[in-house]
């Protein structure tokens, strides 16, 4: 790692933590229904929403009703996005006159955005109208993130309650998260991005003269360039903040109109981890023990920082095969990377976007060196709990915390407790489900794809790297990340359907057990810590929690990784000692 | 279970109106009021009309122009894309070898190694920049083709080099379109 890369990563972490502290406190107040600065201007809007929808925000829900509300709301959202794509040619705000999206692709995209995955089997500028992007996708960017925050709020509340049959009101959690957290932050970021060159307009694409006429693929003379425009900044802001990641353009934040400068890059990259980090501290506040929030955040950093170092180091290298051809290795691996970002900021983004379940990219992970590509792949495979999705990452990590105290309890033969709640058979079963379902999606999905002709048809890189493309795709979909080894031709009936199902399982197959867990925990009495209770705010617990995440991820995926990036790394370096 | 249907539908409609319509319209209004040109793609406007975007790279092939990076989409801004080839892909090795050969045939005195960004394709296919090293590597070819002293071309590169923001963010770089437009102002010495 160069001194500059260290300085960049250090600055990033420092600014992230400095912003997460006040935001964490603020989010806790919002989710607790306490008064905030924004309540004066936006409060009437919030109350108006409840009145029209006929809900009383103080009516607490049983976990089953809470789950039903989550599922109905997400189902309708999914149907709207599907419908919009199918009839976009009949609707306004389609200046490029794009046709209807094919059913399988529309299904994939609808699931992708409702589930907060934002896997892109489509190319934004060539497939979706402004209306579809705005009304369909931007809305889901907000509400899928708000759904994650709501489910987390329900789980956090469950820890702080005793003998309670209810875990909060989903409608209130949903509306408050959107109105007071996601919307104001997005507005600030969107305006900042537009100030530095990100497009934001309803004008159609601009036709401009080229400085020099060029020759096209069929020998024709090209004198013009079409600059695609659109309401970009507003969507890009929330796709970064809401761990969504679905780009406005095909190449996402590598596109110079989506991410034009090093400053927009830093802001967009910061936005990826901002809310997931802040919510850890909110959690500490909700359970009335701030040290618990810092411990969880510490465990996330304990996994994140070494992997960041590995990725930045890897991308600073150039494959010996290319050096041999006469390429200068001093600038690192620049294939698939933009000059304005370079390898360090590209690797930082790749690590952040897969630690969080964001999935946006500012460089092409498919062209990373093998170990550089292994980092984002494995970060997704550990279940998107190192920061993870907005809300969903933390509820995933809390499930790992339950597993950690359970395993520690087994070692000393005591009933495990977490935050005063006894962890018993039901809780451990739900936790096991949460860990197993996405892992099964990754491994079974990859196995089916590489064993079938339809699956192999999408592979673009020869040899080992082709297997990595498939493994990466299923890791991304099953854990609701959305980033890709983009060489994989994923817009086929097989992949649209298979990855769509993985996204559904990876999202709702986890939300339901997590809410069941919340229901069970809320019902329990809180026991005061005794002499045999393991404290869960100490460095020992931080280490244990991080170790459990790493261990489960390693045990599950090392065989598959050994077939992919690890063999490729040996191929790359082995013949060139 | 069915009680949730009405609030689900109503709140989806209300939140769609707020986040899917009011919010992007509000951002558009603010952006167009405060930074109209930047929100419209940072077009380079000349008297004859828009001459490209500052932010979107163009293809240059004449020896007297600085060349942009290789692009998987040939700088067709209607689409954007990358090669997505891994470092061991033979197609990548062949393409890099061909690009090095082309640079050397355009300037037989050009030495190895070649700056990486000049022979490796960008992520967007529309990268508007090259590294200062990649620009300096081409300076002699450009100067000879235009009949100007190499020192003048090197000085122009120096002027058009952007450093890191705050000394931390991004990498040093040169905007190819801007540099090539500035070249047009140089007068041949013979």
């Amino acid at each position: 790692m160069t001194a500059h890369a260290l300085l960049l990563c250090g600055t990033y972490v420092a600014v992230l933590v400095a912003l997460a502290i006040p935001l964490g406190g603020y989010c806790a107040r919002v989710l607790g229904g306490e008064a905030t600065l924004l309540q004066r201007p936006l409060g009437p809007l919030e109350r108006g929403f409840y009145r029209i929808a006929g809900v009383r925000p103080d009516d607490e829900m049983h976990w089953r009703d809470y789950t039903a509300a989550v599922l109905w709301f997400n189902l309708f959202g999914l149907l709207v996005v599907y419908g919009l794509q199918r009839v976009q040619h009949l609707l306004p705000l389609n200046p490029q006159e794009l046709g209807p999206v094919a059913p399988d692709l529309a299904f994939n995209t609808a699931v992708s955005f409702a589930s907060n995955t934002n896997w892109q089997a489509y190319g934004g500028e060539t497939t979706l109208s402004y209306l579809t992007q705005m009304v369909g996708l931007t809305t889901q960017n907000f509400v899928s993130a708000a759904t994650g925050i709501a489910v987390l709020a329900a789980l956090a509340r469950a820890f702080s309650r005793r003998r309670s049959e209810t875990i909060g009101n989903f409608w209130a959690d949903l509306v408050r998260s959107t109105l007071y957290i996601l919307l104001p932050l997005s507005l600030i970021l969107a305006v900042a991005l537009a100030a530095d060159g990100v497009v934001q307009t309803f004008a159609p694409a601009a036709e401009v003269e080229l400085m020099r006429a060029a020759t096209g693929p069929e020998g024709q003379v090209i004198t013009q360039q079409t600059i695609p425009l659109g309401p970009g900044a507003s969507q890009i802001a929330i796709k970064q903040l809401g761990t969504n990641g679905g780009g406005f353009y095909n190449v996402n934040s590598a596109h110079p109109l989506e991410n034009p400068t090093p400053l927009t890059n830093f802001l967009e990259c910061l936005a990826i981890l901002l809310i997931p980090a802040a919510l850890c501290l909110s959690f500490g506040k909700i359970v009335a023990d701030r040290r618990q929030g810092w411990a969880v955040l510490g465990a996330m950093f304990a996994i994140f920082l070494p992997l960041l170092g590995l990725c930045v180091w890897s991308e600073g290298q150039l494959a010996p095969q290319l050096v041999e051809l006469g390429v200068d290795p001093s600038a690192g691996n620049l294939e698939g990377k933009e000059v304005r970002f370079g390898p360090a900021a590209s690797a930082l983004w790749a690590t952040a976007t897969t630690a969080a379940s964001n999935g946006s990219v500012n460089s092409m992970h498919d062209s990373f060196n093998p170990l550089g590509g292994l980092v984002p792949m494995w970060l997704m495979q550990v279940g998107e709990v190192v920061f993870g999705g907005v809300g969903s990452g933390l509820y995933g990590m809390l499930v790992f915390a339950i597993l950690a105290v359970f395993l520690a309890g087994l070692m000393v033969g005591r009933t495990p407790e977490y935050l005063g709640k006894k962890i018993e058979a039901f809780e451990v079963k739900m936790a096991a489900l949460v860990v197993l379902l996405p892992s099964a999606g990754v491994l079974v999905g990859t196995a089916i794809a590489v064993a079938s002709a339809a699956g192999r048809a999408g592979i673009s890189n020869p040899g080992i790297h082709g297997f990595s493309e498939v493994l990466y795709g299923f890791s991304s979909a099953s854990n609701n990340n959305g980033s890709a080894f983009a060489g994989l031709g994923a817009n086929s009936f097989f992949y649209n359907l298979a990855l769509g199902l993985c996204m559904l399982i990876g999202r709702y197959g986890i939300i339901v057990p997590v809410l069941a867990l919340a229901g069970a925990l809320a019902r329990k009495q809180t026991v005061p810590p005794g002499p045999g209770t393991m404290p869960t705010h100490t460095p020992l617990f931080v280490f244990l929690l991080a170790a459990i995440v790493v261990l489960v991820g390693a045990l599950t995926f090392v065989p598959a990784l050994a077939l992919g990036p690890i063999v490729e790394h040996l191929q790359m370096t082995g013949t060139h000692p | 279970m069915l009680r949730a249907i009405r609030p689900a539908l109503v709140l989806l409609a209300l939140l769609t109106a707020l986040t899917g319509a009011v919010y992007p319209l509000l951002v558009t209004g603010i952006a167009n009021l405060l930074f109209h040109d930047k929100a419209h793609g940072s077009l380079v406007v000349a008297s004859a009309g828009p001459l490209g975007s500052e932010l979107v790279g163009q293809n240059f092939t004449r020896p007297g122009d600085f060349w942009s990076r290789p692009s998987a989409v040939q700088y067709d801004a209607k689409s954007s894309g990358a090669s997505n080839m891994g470092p061991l892909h033979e197609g990548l090795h062949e393409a890099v070898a061909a690009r090095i050969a082309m640079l050397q045939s355009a300037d037989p005195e050009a030495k190895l190694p070649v700056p990486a960004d000049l022979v490796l394709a960008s992520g967007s296919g529309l990268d508007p920049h090259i590294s200062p090293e990649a620009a300096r590597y081409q300076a002699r070819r450009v100067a000879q083709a235009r009949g100007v002293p190499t020192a003048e071309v090197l000085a122009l590169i120096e002027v058009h080099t952007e450093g890191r923001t705050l000394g931390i963010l991004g990498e040093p770089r040169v905007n190819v379109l801007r540099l090539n437009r500035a070249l047009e102002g140089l007068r041949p010495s013979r």
Side-chain angles (χ1 to χ4, degrees):
Chain A
M1 256 173 117
T2 62
H4 166 253
L6 273 176
L7 184 66
L8 174 71
C9 295
T11 308
Y12 179 82
V13 172
V15 175
L16 176 66
V17 173
L19 291 177
I21 294 171
L23 184 63
Y26 173 78
C27 291
R29 282 198 296 282
V30 168
L31 296 172
E34 293 171 42
T36 59
L37 198 67
L38 286 174
Q39 212 140 37
R40 195 180 287 266
L42 294 176
L45 195 64
E46 182 195 349
R47 289 189 290 277
F49 274 24
Y50 297 144
R51 207 170 307 127
I52 302 171
V55 294
R56 274 178 301 187
D58 300 326
D59 276 2
E60 290 264 328
M61 293 175 169
H62 188 270
W63 79 265
R64 275 194 218 93
D65 298 317
Y66 200 102
T67 309
V70 171
L71 294 181
W72 278 117
F73 183 77
N74 278 257
L75 175 68
F76 292 137
L78 197 155
L79 291 175
V80 167
V81 179
Y82 180 83
L84 270 174
Q85 292 176 86
R86 298 289 292 138
V87 298
Q88 65 176 6
H89 56 299
L90 308 173
L91 298 172
L93 282 179
N94 184 5
Q96 306 305 121
E97 297 181 353
L98 299 165
V101 181
D104 59 320
L105 179 58
F107 162 75
N108 185 282
T109 308
V111 172
S112 171
F113 277 76
S115 64
N116 197 251
T117 308
N118 302 33
W119 171 264
Q120 287 175 278
Y122 63 90
E125 62 271 53
T126 51
T127 316
L128 301 178
S129 73
Y130 291 177
L131 187 82
T132 308
Q133 294 245 19
M134 257 171 55
V135 175
L137 304 192
T138 306
T139 302
Q140 285 304 316
N141 280 347
F142 277 97
V143 296
S144 67
T147 298
I149 298 178
V151 172
L152 168 71
L155 182 61
R157 258 180 228 126
F159 280 109
S160 66
R161 291 181 177 183
R162 53 185 75 174
R163 297 200 175 285
S164 165
E165 281 300 315
T166 60
I167 55 173
N169 182 300
F170 173 67
W171 309 120
D173 288 339
L174 172 76
V175 172
R176 283 180 190 142
S177 306
T178 310
L179 221 52
Y180 298 128
I181 300 173
L182 297 169
L183 204 57
L185 286 174
S186 301
L187 191 63
I188 295 168
L189 182 60
V191 172
L193 293 179
D196 219 18
V198 178
V199 295
Q200 179 72 29
T201 172
F202 288 97
E207 296 290 335
V208 298
E209 297 292 326
L210 289 173
M211 185 173 160
R212 302 276 187 242
T215 318
E218 283 112 48
Q220 76 276 35
V221 177
I222 302 170
T223 60
Q224 287 195 323
Q225 197 180 33
T226 306
I227 307 292
L229 302 174
S234 51
Q235 187 182 323
I236 293 159
I238 181 62
K239 75 137 173 159
Q240 295 304 107
L241 284 163
T243 57
N244 296 286
F248 196 75
Y249 297 110
N250 185 36
V251 292
N252 211 297
S253 279
H255 199 292
L257 294 173
E258 183 151 344
N259 190 6
T261 68
L263 183 62
T264 58
N265 186 63
F266 188 74
L267 293 176
E268 288 182 19
C269 198
L270 202 57
I272 294 174
L273 294 187
L274 180 60
I275 299 180
L279 285 175
C280 293
L281 304 180
S282 311
F283 170 72
K285 207 174 159 208
I286 294 172
V287 300
D289 183 356
R290 286 167 200 259
R291 297 171 305 180
Q292 305 291 343
W294 282 105
V296 174
L297 186 61
M300 291 181 178
F301 272 120
I303 302 172
F304 176 77
L305 291 176
L307 289 171
L308 174 64
L310 175 61
C311 194
V312 170
W313 169 81
S314 165
E315 292 316 294
Q317 317 292 313
L318 190 66
Q321 288 80 355
L322 292 171
V323 178
E324 213 164 71
L325 290 172
V327 184
D328 184 355
S330 62
N333 175 14
L334 283 172
E335 179 70 25
K337 295 190 182 64
E338 302 284 291
V339 164
R340 62 191 179 282
F341 309 140
S346 299
L348 171 60
W349 184 299
T351 310
T353 197
T354 49
S357 76
N358 188 291
S360 63
V361 295
N362 75 346
S363 59
M364 296 302 128
H365 299 180
D366 210 347
S367 298
F368 273 31
N369 288 326
L371 294 184
L374 179 143
V375 167
M377 196 176 331
W378 194 68
L379 272 167
M380 295 188 296
Q381 289 167 343
V382 296
E384 288 300 0
V385 296
V386 182
F387 297 104
V390 164
S392 64
L394 183 53
Y395 62 66
M397 193 58 149
L398 293 175
V399 166
F400 269 101
I402 288 174
L403 281 183
V405 294
F406 171 67
L407 290 176
L410 283 183
M411 286 186 241
V412 294
R414 292 187 63 97
T415 310
E417 297 157 21
Y418 186 53
L419 304 176
K421 299 283 188 181
K422 277 201 159 44
I423 303 301
E424 291 163 301
F426 180 77
E427 289 79 32
V428 175
K429 277 183 203 158
M430 290 301 115
L433 227 103
V434 168
V435 174
L436 287 178
L437 272 176
S439 305
V442 176
L443 295 176
V444 175
T446 305
I448 292 175
V450 294
S452 67
R456 288 194 301 272
I459 294 173
S460 77
N461 271 271
I464 295 296
H465 196 78
F467 171 76
S468 296
E469 283 181 345
V470 177
L471 181 62
Y472 195 101
F474 280 93
S475 302
S476 177
S478 302
N479 291 292
N480 298 135
N481 182 282
S483 76
F485 269 12
L488 184 70
N491 184 15
S492 68
F493 185 78
F494 173 81
Y495 280 111
N496 279 334
L497 201 69
L499 296 173
L501 287 175
C502 282
M503 290 189 265
L504 280 176
I505 294 169
R507 179 73 167 178
Y508 304 104
I510 290 194
I511 282 184
V512 175
V514 164
L515 287 172
L517 193 61
L521 290 169
R523 259 197 308 275
K524 285 176 193 274
Q525 182 60 273
T526 306
V527 290
T533 305
M534 183 173 66
T536 51
H537 60 265
T538 57
L540 179 70
F541 182 75
V542 171
F543 172 78
L544 180 70
L545 179 55
I548 298 279
V549 172
V550 170
L551 203 66
V552 169
L555 287 176
T556 317
F557 294 106
V558 159
L561 290 170
L563 288 176
I566 293 174
V567 167
E568 200 188 353
H569 175 72
L570 297 175
Q571 281 183 334
M572 186 175 94
T573 55
T575 49
H576 294 74
Chain B
M1 293 285 149
L2 300 180
R3 258 180 319 170
I5 293 181
R6 181 182 159 215
L9 283 172
V10 175
L11 285 177
L12 181 62
L14 291 172
L15 288 171
T16 298
L18 181 68
T19 62
V22 174
Y23 159 70
L25 286 170
L26 186 64
V27 176
T28 308
I30 297 172
N32 285 280
L33 200 67
L34 299 180
F35 348 93
H36 177 273
D37 294 346
K38 288 197 165 170
H40 282 79
S42 306
L43 302 184
V44 182
V45 181
S47 52
L51 281 174
S53 161
E54 292 236 325
L55 299 178
V56 180
Q58 298 186 8
N59 206 7
F60 296 96
T61 50
R62 297 186 189 182
D65 290 332
F66 283 95
W67 297 351
S68 303
R69 297 183 62 187
S71 158
V73 295
Q74 273 70 50
Y75 289 94
D76 175 5
K78 277 201 296 293
S79 59
S80 53
S83 75
N84 284 312
M85 288 194 259
L88 293 181
H89 198 305
E90 285 191 0
L92 177 67
H93 301 169
E94 284 161 20
V96 168
R99 288 163 192 160
I100 292 176
M102 184 136 98
L103 283 165
Q104 288 187 316
S105 76
D107 177 9
E109 291 170 56
K111 291 192 184 70
L112 293 179
V114 181
D117 57 311
L118 213 47
V119 290
L120 296 176
S122 62
S124 63
L126 303 172
D127 195 340
H129 298 110
I130 53 177
S131 66
E133 293 79 19
R136 285 196 288 271
Y137 191 82
Q138 303 182 60
R140 184 178 40 229
R141 184 197 74 222
V142 170
Q144 278 175 357
R146 288 185 175 258
V148 297
T150 309
E152 271 188 42
V153 173
L154 286 171
L156 207 60
I157 294 172
E158 191 68 37
V159 170
H160 282 84
T161 299
E162 296 170 70
R164 290 190 169 123
T165 309
L166 306 174
I168 300 173
L169 308 180
E171 300 293 336
R173 61 204 181 278
V174 182
N175 185 301
V176 182
L177 180 62
R178 234 186 273 165
L179 181 61
N180 279 333
R181 293 176 62 78
L183 272 181
E184 302 283 77
L186 294 184
R187 286 163 185 276
S189 52
R190 26 183 153 140

